[in-house]
Amino acid sequence: MGRGHLTDRVLSADGSGSSLAPESIVRLEDGRLVLLDQTRLPGERVEQSYGDWREIVEAIRSMVVRGAPAIGVAAAYGAAVAARGGREQFERACDGLAAARPTAVNLRWAIDRMRASAEGADGDDLVARLEHRARELHRQEVDRCHAIGEHGAGLLGTGARVLTHCNAGALATAGYGTALGVI
């Protein structure tokens, strides 16, 4: 099966698998955040769509999205969604999103980067810039996990036993996996 075999499949209740691309976990689509609802797994594969940043805050709090990296990516997309309502709404959303899960370090990190990207922009330029930046942050998160997997794979010998702590797979990292990316 090879390295990564655990991170690119989601098992259904009947044991069958399905592909799990980063965009199937979290994505921006038509100005809305779309999340794979992790509260419904493994029994059902359901996507939820959010057009208001307050709904996104609730999705983070209620664990529709889990794992610090995935939460950070969702917050970045949430900030981009909020920017459609103008700069004031964007700023309120950043504050609200940052408070949604105070212990999720990636959430604050993503919001800080979205705020920096918003500097000097307004209107359509603000929205376009933030949508681009959120997608870029998502891609960088997946790339980081791939790099972790590449560097860590050589550290595991044949028959190695691995114990992970917390959420370490594709769902938690918005696309590939940290510790599970190594496996």
Side-chain angles (χ1 to χ4, degrees):
M1 286 180 129
R3 186 183 54 74
H5 72 278
L6 296 176
T7 63
D8 63 357
R9 307 290 287 172
V10 172
L11 293 181
S12 302
D14 66 0
S16 64
S18 61
S19 180
L20 187 63
E23 297 77 28
S24 68
I25 299 166
V26 56
R27 70 180 176 278
L28 190 62
E29 186 176 281
D30 299 325
R32 298 176 66 83
L33 172 64
V34 179
L35 294 172
L36 176 62
D37 187 342
Q38 295 183 39
T39 66
R40 308 284 289 274
L41 295 172
E44 298 175 280
R45 188 168 177 166
V46 176
E47 290 184 337
Q48 304 290 349
S49 177
Y50 305 93
D52 185 284
W53 66 269
R54 290 169 287 263
E55 296 172 326
I56 298 166
V57 166
E58 184 53 33
I60 292 169
R61 285 187 178 142
S62 64
M63 299 183 73
V64 169
V65 59
R66 302 172 191 204
I71 291 168
V73 170
Y77 284 134
V81 167
R84 291 176 168 270
R87 179 165 288 283
E88 265 186 53
Q89 182 166 293
F90 165 73
E91 293 296 339
R92 280 195 311 276
C94 285
D95 291 341
L97 288 161
R101 201 75 152 278
T103 59
V105 174
N106 299 60
L107 191 157
R108 174 66 66 184
W109 175 88
I111 293 299
D112 289 347
R113 270 132 194 90
M114 294 301 283
R115 280 188 160 136
S117 294
E119 289 181 19
D122 233 341
D124 289 342
D125 182 45
L126 176 68
V127 172
R129 188 184 294 189
L130 293 176
E131 287 182 353
H132 174 78
R133 183 62 169 142
R135 286 186 175 103
E136 183 178 59
L137 290 174
H138 189 181
R139 185 178 61 256
Q140 288 171 349
E141 188 62 54
V142 173
D143 290 346
R144 254 189 305 282
C145 289
H146 278 278
I148 290 169
E150 291 297 320
H151 292 294
L155 300 174
L156 299 179
T158 303
R161 294 180 182 179
V162 178
L163 174 66
T164 65
H165 174 72
C166 207
N167 293 323
L171 290 171
T173 61
Y176 188 73
T178 52
L180 292 183
V182 174
I183 299 170

